[in-house]
Amino acid sequence: MESTAKKNYTLPIIMMVALFFMISFVTGLQNPFGIIVKNQFAASNFMSQLGNAANFIAYAFMGIPAGMLLQKIGYKKTALLAIIVGFCGVGISYLSGVAGSYAVYLTGAFVSGFSMCMLNTVVNPMLNTLGGGGNKGNQLIQVAGSVNSIGATIVPVVVGDAAKAQISDANPALFLAMGIFAIVFIVLFCMQIPEPHMVKENEAKTPDKHSALSFRHFILGAIAIFLYVGVEVGIPNFMNLFATSSEIGIDPTVAGSIVGTYWFLMMIGRLFGASFGAKISRKSMWSSAATVGRSF
């Protein structure tokens, strides 16, 4: 069997990078949507953030099933299923604008969260595999992470003036998301990609004596990711919410530009990390980033 390194996986890599973009773009939609639903439905600050919360609460329900799907049906089928779910989630968000329904909007955010969880389960290990593993694979993930930041950066621009908009006014962003999902689905469906972690029926299965919770670095890593995502997503969401409030009164377009700049700077940081990703170990990068972050 030929190794991953001897094959040309340029197109699968591009598709995985496109999915990185979609994870950020679809998740980032909940930022301006929070402002939109606050004004359209006269919602409280708490209710305006429920869409974003629903998007991430879905991870708690789908995390373990997504991992089981990845092991049982492989990268490709899991990715295709995730894309279908994502298309449906964005489609429900579109229908919420047609119906003018807050409940339908929340449902769309929740279904989209299922998809984003499944995609996160696939794209990170898949890119690492396609990149040959090790530092090279890590570098490829950093590059894709930069594209991920681009998705969040352009969301405020595509949605427009959220303070004066209704959900239906965000249709161009929703159509863009559904279009990219459709294209990636078609391309992935026609491609062959490696499935190194898929359990084959004819292989002898050795009972695993340890669960994931048996490993300290897994537990600490899960806590670290929980805190990281809360900080990463919480900052721009609340920044936009309070910047456009009557107490502060920043123009919504300006507030959206500030949020976009936040994600743009995240992209710069990821590109910086990608430039050293093949030369420096992940442990050294994590330690250095944590040290620098703490100093600020």
Side-chain angles (χ1 to χ4, degrees), residues 23 61 189 212 282 292:
I23 290 170
F61 291 91
F189 183 81
R282 280 170 284 188
V292 173

Side-chain angles (χ1 to χ4, degrees), residues 186-215:
I186 293 170
V187 175
L188 274 182
F189 183 81
C190 298
M191 289 188 320
Q192 293 294 326
I193 59 177
E195 302 282 1
H197 301 296
M198 186 174 178
V199 177
K200 297 180 180 179
E201 294 182 1
N202 58 348
E203 288 182 351
K205 298 180 181 179
T206 304
D208 195 345
K209 299 179 180 179
H210 304 283
S211 69
L213 297 176
S214 301
F215 301 94

Side-chain angles (χ1 to χ4, degrees), residues 17-185:
V17 171
L19 290 178
F20 256 94
F21 174 89
M22 290 306 300
I23 290 170
S24 182
F25 187 85
V26 174
T27 302
L29 281 173
Q30 305 311 319
N31 189 323
F33 271 27
I35 305 299
I36 291 173
V37 299
K38 180 180 180 181
N39 292 285
Q40 182 174 349
F41 302 110
S44 64
N45 287 339
F46 173 77
M47 290 182 67
S48 73
Q49 294 302 303
L50 281 182
N52 190 56
N55 192 274
F56 284 99
I57 289 173
Y59 280 65
F61 291 91
M62 197 62 203
I64 294 176
M68 295 171 66
L69 277 172
L70 183 64
Q71 185 180 33
K72 187 168 183 63
I73 65 177
Y75 286 122
K76 180 177 177 177
K77 290 182 180 179
T78 303
L80 292 175
L81 182 59
I83 292 170
I84 293 173
V85 175
F87 187 93
C88 292
V90 176
I92 293 172
S93 296
Y94 164 74
L95 292 177
S96 72
V98 175
S101 170
Y102 178 78
V104 176
Y105 157 70
L106 283 182
T107 302
F110 191 69
V111 174
S112 294
F114 278 117
S115 173
M116 298 308 103
C117 178
M118 295 169 70
L119 289 177
N120 268 305
T121 304
V122 174
V123 295
N124 284 282
M126 187 73 255
L127 267 179
N128 186 57
T129 298
L130 295 172
N135 289 347
K136 285 288 186 180
N138 179 48
Q139 184 180 40
L140 191 56
I141 291 175
Q142 292 295 328
V143 172
S146 302
V147 177
N148 179 275
S149 295
I150 293 175
T153 300
I154 69 172
V155 164
V157 178
V158 177
V159 172
D161 190 348
K164 299 178 181 179
Q166 295 192 336
I167 295 176
S168 58
D169 295 322
N171 283 348
L174 300 177
F175 291 153
L176 175 63
M178 287 190 286
I180 295 176
F181 272 138
I183 293 171
V184 175
F185 180 90

Side-chain angles (χ1 to χ4, degrees), residues 64 211-225:
I64 294 176
S211 69
L213 297 176
S214 301
F215 301 94
R216 183 178 62 177
H217 61 276
F218 172 82
I219 298 175
L220 295 176
I223 295 172
I225 291 174

